[in-house]
Structures are given as structure tokens and as C-alpha cells.
Amino acid sequence: MRALLACFRGGFRRWSAYRTAAAAGAFTNTVFGLVKASISVAAVASAGGTLAGYDAGSVATYAWLTQALIGPVHVFGWSELAERVRTGDVVVDLGRPVDLQLSWLAADLGRAAFVLVPRGLPPLLVGAVTFGLVLPAAGWPYALGAVSVVLAVAISFACRFAVNLSAFWLLDVRGAVTLYVVASNVLSGLVVPVHWFPPWMGALAAATPFPSMLQSPVDVITARVSGAAALGVLATQAAWLAATLLTGRLLMARATHAGGAGWLAPTRSCCVRACARKCPTAPASPSTWCATSASASSTSASCT
């Protein structure tokens, strides 16, 4: 647990070093928020004032909340882990005395904790001034919404983690990442609310974890769902989180050829393949591919 807390703090500190990038991201999200809110309000107006339960005020609020959550949830591309797999540097991660998936998840939660305010608050302030935000007066939607946002961040990470693991089998993951970005942007509700989808597309979205990344948190925060329905949304998010994390662990076990009783918990013994990729000229004996040395505070792995 202390190691995971250290990863969380490390993720927070790492992203806090890029304050200019955070400001640039907030500016970009605000500009696109103005465009998206204007188009959404116009669509509702052309539909007669309401569309799938959204009026002008609620759809503008939806547009601005999704823009505010883009940074923390991170629905766009990410290939840092895939690059480490490609170069073989993932062997260092596998050699550390901490779970690979959970350590990256903790670091990503730290990232989200930092970018939430500098990337999320400016768009909301601009939206409140330009369009007005329709938000509930009660406090419970915000409490449940906070839980929903944390679940959304974790689900997004678990999906990106699984996509990045395809680097163990693909020479180039850019195609897989691009397909993931397109699917996540559309089916998460980033472009338009999922409630606007035609029935067949709504059913397709419901069969994926993507609505749990943006549509679900916004529904909870705005009290579009309340009471038992809100708890049901959180339960759905929790189920998707468990499913996506398990998928990542299965892929990790397959990629590292872990077996036996520990097949769901890749450890230092799983670094043989990654080390072999990093050192193509490694000797024939797998036992000599990785030299793992442990200290009180960390473990490092290197090819010999």
C-alpha cells in the first residue's frame, strides 16, 4: 500500500511540473466547449426545445461538464506503456516489487487528481458565464458524482492499459490506439449525449465501458439519475472497472507467460520475454537473461 501511495504522489508531482501544458489544455477545452455547447443548444432548439430529456440549459451544462472531465478521465490516446514494451524497458517495471497494473493505476489517479482543477475548473467558469449551468442544489449528487468520477478515471485507465498491452503482439500499436480513441470519443458521450443515440447505437454503447467514462459521471452530477438509479449507475461502473481490470490482468498474464497459482499476479519471474526483446543477443539460457537485484527500497532488473 505504501508503494502504491508513492506511485500516486509520483503521478501527481510529475504532472504538476507541466503547469503551462495544463493551462494550454484548459484553453483548448474551453474553446471546444464553446463550439460544442453552441451546436448542442442549436440542435435542441431545432428539435422544438427538448431532445431526449435535454433542454437548452441542461444540454449546455452537459457539454461543459464533459469538457471539464476530458483531462481527468483522459479519453484520448495514451501509449507510454506500449512504448516501454516496444523498447523492452517494461522489464524494469516487471522487476519492481509492486504490481505492474496497480502501480500504473495509482500513478494515473495521481495525474487525474492534479489535472482536475487546472483543466476542469476554467471550462466550467466560462460555461457558467456564457451559457449558465443547470446544477442541483442538493449536496448528494456531488458526493456520488465524486465517486463516479474516480470510477470513470479508473475505467479509462484500465481500458488504455489493456490496449497498450497489445504491443506485446503488434509491431506498431498506433492503429489500435487510434481505433480506441475513435470508439471512446463517440461511445462515451463526448461528442453528443449517449441518450441521443438511435436505439441500435445506444445498445452498442451500453455493451461497452465507454459510457461509464463520461455519460455516467455527468448523469450523476447533474442528478439526471437519482436515488436508487444513481446507485445503479455506480454499480454498473464498478462492474465495468472489475471487468476491464481483469481483462488487463489476463492479457498481462498471457503476455508474460505467467502460469500456475500466480497466473493473475505477474511478478519478477515474468520479465524473461521482455528482457529477451530488449537484449536480442541474450544467451540461450533464460535464467541468465535477467539479473534482478533487490534493495530495501526498490528492485531493478537488467539484462546480462
Side-chain angles (χ1 to χ4, degrees):
M1 181 60 68
R2 290 180 60 185
L4 295 180
L5 289 175
C7 290
F8 177 89
R9 291 193 296 267
F12 186 95
R13 288 196 302 267
R14 176 187 178 188
W15 285 88
S16 65
Y18 301 101
R19 295 189 177 96
T20 302
F27 176 78
T28 302
N29 290 347
T30 301
V31 171
F32 278 96
L34 288 168
V35 174
K36 187 163 71 172
S38 300
I39 294 175
S40 299
V41 169
V44 169
S46 66
T50 59
L51 180 59
Y54 288 94
D55 57 19
S58 60
V59 78
T61 302
Y62 177 88
W64 286 109
L65 282 174
T66 53
Q67 289 300 114
L69 291 175
I70 284 179
V73 176
H74 200 351
V75 295
F76 295 110
W78 177 73
S79 57
E80 184 176 353
L81 177 59
E83 181 62 19
R84 294 184 67 82
V85 173
R86 187 188 68 81
T87 61
D89 290 337
V90 71
V91 69
V92 178
D93 302 325
L94 289 168
R96 294 190 176 105
V98 62
D99 185 88
L100 178 67
Q101 186 186 52
L102 295 181
S103 63
W104 281 80
L105 172 58
D108 195 66
L109 289 173
R111 173 203 60 80
F114 169 73
V115 302
L116 179 63
V117 173
R119 288 283 299 272
L121 186 58
L124 289 180
L125 293 177
V126 173
V129 172
T130 56
F131 286 83
L133 300 178
V134 180
L135 296 171
W140 66 262
Y142 304 107
L144 294 180
V147 177
S148 183
V149 169
V150 173
L151 290 172
V153 172
I155 293 169
S156 175
F157 163 79
C159 291
R160 289 181 280 115
F161 183 86
V163 172
N164 273 241
L165 289 181
S166 66
F168 277 102
W169 296 276
L170 301 177
L171 294 177
D172 192 336
V173 299
R174 286 178 294 182
V177 171
T178 300
L179 289 175
Y180 170 80
V181 170
V182 172
S184 64
N185 281 204
V186 174
L187 299 180
S188 67
L190 176 61
V191 181
V192 297
V194 174
H195 303 297
W196 287 8
F197 289 177
W200 67 269
M201 194 171 182
L204 174 63
T208 71
F210 298 126
S212 292
M213 298 180 188
L214 287 179
Q215 182 70 60
S216 295
V218 175
D219 283 351
V220 174
I221 293 172
T222 58
R224 182 181 176 91
V225 292
S226 59
L231 295 177
V233 169
L234 295 182
T236 299
Q237 286 184 286
W240 276 118
L241 176 58
T244 50
L245 287 176
L246 179 60
T247 299
R249 299 199 75 79
L250 292 173
L251 290 173
M252 195 69 213
R254 174 61 178 170
T256 55
H257 297 287
W263 71 285
L264 283 180
T267 60
R268 286 173 296 192
S269 63
C270 304
C271 69
V272 172
R273 178 179 176 180
C275 197
R277 292 185 60 175
K278 187 172 179 63
C279 300
T281 59
S285 174
S287 62
T288 61
W289 281 350
C290 290
T292 305
S293 60
S295 64
S297 58
S298 64
T299 300
S300 62
S302 60
C303 296
T304 59

